[in-house]
Amino acid sequence: MAQFKHLGELNSFLSMDGENVKGPVSRWQRKLNLSAASTSFNSSALANTSARQTLSISMTGNANNTLQLSTTGNSLKTPRKNGVKTTVASSTKKSSQTPSKGISNGQSQPGGGDRFIPSRTTTDFDLGHYIVKQGATGNEDNAENEESAAAATNVPTSPKQSERMKSLSEAMSGCDISKQRLLSFRTKAPAPPEGHVNPLKAIYSVKTPMSAKSGSRYIPNAPERILDAPEIMNDYYLNLMDWSKDNVIAVALGSSVYLWNAATGTIEMLFENEGNDHACSLNWIPEGHILAVGTSAGTVELWDCESIKRLRVMNGHSARVGVLAWNAHVLCSGSRDGMIINHDVRNRLHNIGMLQGHTQEVCGLKWSPDGKYLASGGNDNLVNVWSAANGAPHATGEPLHVFNAHQAAIRALAWCPWQPNVLASGGGTADRTIKFWNVANGQLMNSVDTKSQVCGLLFSKTYKELISAHGYVNNQLSIWKYPSMTKQVDLMGHTGRVLQIAMSPDGSTVMSAGADETLRLWNCFTPDPLLVKKEKTGVREKPSLLKQSMR
């Protein structure tokens, strides 16, 4: 019997049916423990989510409760074991929190924070899904697909049935589906308390750069090219530069007149005066290569710039001729003697009329684009508007309007290309304003203080903008939106006042002549190639017939 007892004890010792307590945990038990831990973590996360959602709901409902919850923050902190916190842990937690502006000043945050977060519980996702589906099926292709699907399933579609379905859906949703918006707030954000300053205002209220704004354009603030203009006369009343339709710039430097071809870059001297005589004004004929030159001796000369030949000399003034303006075959000249003379260059007796409206030197002279009005500005602070005589290209009689609102000499004059009855005028150092006049009724439309002397004005041919040239103190060119007169940009670079500005034939480039003896090309009105069609033609205009009849 002893041997059987020994075998029984041996079998019980080697048996694997019992639980091995001291051995490692089996694989299936480890997986079971991991799944249980994940389940507990998810339940804790859901609890935290529900707490946050409750916090969000309370924020829309009651601002005071939200303020109390956001200050304590019990539902958002990591739970401790057995719900016990030590003093050291509490102090460490407080020091690690990011202080807000309201808490640091001993004040509470208004409305629960700096922004309003709507609650997702107020959004009807089922209704939104239905509206999106209805909008998608409203297309023609989807409608055809619905009809084909209805025909395949033998389900008749009738207007009455669709109207019934719409009524049922409105009754279930409790609102008119056609007027329901998907992405809209059900409740407005709570207003901040009085005297609250948002610390993030500087971040959210930064102005968009002009080049990135919708509807604006990029304007280079540096000149494309700089040319030397030695010995250019620093005289506010003279007009010493002009740009022709053939892309040739004429500029008077000292006693000489030079021609610069902007296309080829070639420079040529037209003539040089002898003695103390010098050119006081230059103006190209609109149709060709004839240049009118007003001299310090009171004469007006016509030069053929292709053959470098003087065609004729016209007298009539007793002092220097500081400004010229063409209108067809009539050339108007303004002088220091206060007179304006109309010269018909086709006739031997060129003087066909004199305009007496200024008591001091005439320094501004411009014809309107339609040739109906002549504007003149003088050192007597007056702007006179003359009407053409019975459709003729010259003005006679008394001025139609006399504007005396300026407080200084008016040299800068410009007519609006798209509003022929609008005239812009700029005053000198004592005035510093740009004024807009309606010559149809003689009313002042607008006046803008530019803070500096206005030396020149030009309307853009491409954009509804205006560029002005200024003197003291910044010597800048300014581009304005018209008619709002919102300043777009200041073009800096000249160290002396800008004496005159001229525009290229295509209207894309402006040249400025400064008292610092430099000529600067500003590519500030370049057309947008995506918005403006290219209207370049290879046909050149017929040469002017005026030179054939000049004597």
Side-chain angles (χ1 to χ4, degrees):
M1 294 296 293
Q3 59 181 356
F4 292 107
K5 185 178 180 180
H6 177 70
L7 290 175
E9 291 177 359
L10 185 61
N11 290 333
S12 64
F13 179 75
L14 297 175
S15 177
M16 301 297 291
D17 296 336
E19 182 178 0
N20 189 3
V21 181
K22 297 182 180 180
V25 181
S26 59
R27 184 172 178 270
W28 64 273
Q29 287 181 343
R30 292 198 304 269
K31 295 183 66 177
L32 182 62
N33 294 336
L34 289 175
S35 63
S38 177
T39 304
S40 64
F41 176 76
N42 292 336
S43 62
S44 176
L46 290 175
N48 291 334
T49 305
S50 63
R52 292 175 184 175
Q53 192 171 6
T54 305
L55 180 64
S56 178
I57 294 173
S58 64
M59 181 168 59
T60 58
N62 189 354
N64 296 327
N65 295 337
T66 305
L67 181 61
Q68 183 178 359
L69 289 176
S70 62
T71 304
T72 57
N74 292 332
S75 60
L76 298 179
K77 293 181 179 179
T78 306
R80 303 287 181 177
K81 291 184 179 181
N82 300 329
V84 179
K85 299 181 182 178
T86 61
T87 306
V88 178
S90 176
S91 62
T92 305
K93 187 67 178 179
K94 288 182 179 179
S95 61
S96 62
Q97 290 180 351
T98 303
S100 62
K101 184 176 181 180
I103 297 175
S104 62
N105 296 334
Q107 302 175 357
S108 58
Q109 292 181 352
D114 64 315
R115 58 195 177 99
F116 173 62
I117 304 176
S119 177
R120 289 171 61 90
T121 58
T122 60
T123 304
D124 193 344
F125 292 99
D126 295 334
L127 179 60
H129 179 72
Y130 174 76
I131 295 176
V132 171
K133 293 291 291 182
Q134 288 295 108
T137 57
N139 299 331
E140 296 180 358
D141 298 338
N142 294 332
E144 294 178 358
N145 295 335
E146 283 187 353
E147 293 178 0
S148 60
T153 54
N154 296 326
V155 177
T157 56
S158 61
K160 184 176 181 181
Q161 185 177 2
S162 62
E163 186 68 25
R164 181 182 178 187
M165 293 296 295
K166 181 180 179 181
S167 301
L168 288 175
S169 61
E170 291 179 358
M172 293 179 63
S173 60
C175 61
D176 188 1
I177 297 179
S178 61
K179 299 180 180 179
Q180 187 69 16
R181 300 179 62 183
L182 295 179
L183 303 177
S184 62
F185 292 104
R186 299 297 180 89
T187 57
K188 294 183 178 180
E194 185 178 358
H196 170 67
V197 179
N198 188 358
L200 299 180
K201 182 178 180 181
I203 299 177
Y204 295 126
S205 62
V206 175
K207 294 183 179 181
T208 307
M210 188 177 301
S211 59
K213 287 183 180 179
S214 176
S216 66
R217 59 188 184 87
Y218 172 72
I219 302 176
N221 56 5
E224 184 181 7
R225 193 168 182 179
I226 301 177
L227 304 175
D228 291 330
E231 299 182 7
I232 189 170
M233 297 187 64
N234 185 7
D235 195 328
Y236 177 79
Y237 301 97
L238 303 184
N239 296 269
L240 305 176
M241 183 182 64
D242 196 21
W243 204 327
S244 73
K245 291 293 182 66
D246 294 335
N247 209 12
V248 178
I249 298 174
V251 58
L253 303 177
S255 59
S256 304
V257 175
Y258 291 88
L259 304 176
W260 181 68
N261 193 319
T264 61
T266 58
I267 301 176
E268 187 177 10
M269 187 176 70
L270 181 62
F271 66 89
E272 182 178 5
N273 289 304
E274 298 179 356
N276 295 327
D277 293 340
H278 58 86
C280 298
S281 58
L282 303 174
N283 196 245
W284 289 96
I285 193 170
E287 299 180 357
H289 48 80
I290 305 299
L291 179 66
V293 181
T295 66
S296 58
T299 60
V300 178
E301 300 177 357
L302 297 181
W303 284 80
D304 186 349
C305 296
E306 281 191 350
S307 59
I308 314 297
K309 180 182 178 181
R310 187 173 67 181
L311 300 178
R312 67 181 303 181
V313 179
M314 297 179 291
N315 300 314
H317 291 289
S318 60
R320 68 178 185 180
V321 179
V323 61
L324 299 167
W326 283 95
N327 187 23
H329 54 270
V330 174
L331 176 63
C332 298
S333 60
S335 173
R336 179 178 275 182
D337 58 10
M339 303 295 296
I340 300 175
I341 298 179
N342 297 313
H343 306 273
D344 190 342
V345 297
R346 302 173 303 175
N347 301 331
R348 181 179 181 86
L349 300 177
H350 54 85
N351 191 340
I352 59 175
M354 301 181 66
L355 305 178
Q356 300 180 2
H358 294 279
T359 58
Q360 297 187 33
E361 182 173 5
V362 180
C363 50
L365 209 59
K366 282 291 176 67
W367 279 96
S368 61
D370 54 8
K372 294 182 179 179
Y373 302 102
L374 173 66
S376 62
N379 196 29
D380 53 0
N381 307 345
L382 296 180
V383 177
N384 293 334
V385 178
W386 314 79
S387 59
N390 298 325
H394 64 275
T396 58
E398 298 295 326
L400 179 65
H401 298 292
V402 178
F403 303 130
N404 57 0
H406 284 286
Q407 304 299 321
I410 299 97
R411 174 175 177 267
L413 296 172
W415 292 90
C416 183
W418 55 89
Q419 291 178 323
N421 60 330
V422 174
L423 172 67
S425 59
T429 306
D431 184 77
R432 305 183 305 274
T433 62
I434 300 176
K435 299 184 185 297
F436 297 90
W437 311 91
N438 187 349
V439 299
N441 52 21
Q443 298 295 323
L444 175 63
M445 300 170 57
N446 192 10
S447 179
V448 180
D449 187 3
T450 63
K451 310 296 183 183
S452 60
Q453 179 188 41
V454 183
C455 301
L457 290 173
L458 287 175
F459 277 95
S460 173
K461 301 178 182 179
T462 309
Y463 305 95
K464 289 190 175 182
E465 295 176 353
L466 176 74
I467 185 171
S468 57
H470 299 275
Y472 312 112
V473 292
N474 294 324
N475 307 316
Q476 84 282 8
L477 283 82
S478 300
I479 298 179
W480 312 77
K481 278 284 187 181
Y482 180 82
S484 64
M485 290 305 289
T486 303
K487 184 179 289 189
Q488 295 288 92
V489 67
D490 283 333
L491 304 179
M492 311 296 293
H494 282 286
T495 57
R497 64 176 174 181
V498 183
L499 298 173
Q500 193 176 355
I501 52 178
M503 185 172 290
S504 62
D506 58 357
S508 62
T509 307
V510 173
M511 172 170 277
S512 59
D516 54 359
E517 297 186 347
T518 61
L519 303 177
R520 298 173 186 259
L521 288 168
W522 308 87
N523 195 10
C524 54
F525 293 127
T526 303
D528 190 347
L530 299 178
L531 300 178
V532 181
K533 295 182 180 180
K534 294 182 180 179
E535 298 180 353
K536 295 182 179 180
T537 58
V539 180
R540 184 179 178 181
E541 296 181 359
K542 294 182 179 180
S544 175
L545 299 178
L546 297 179
K547 64 179 183 179
Q548 301 178 4
S549 57
M550 290 181 184
R551 299 183 181 180

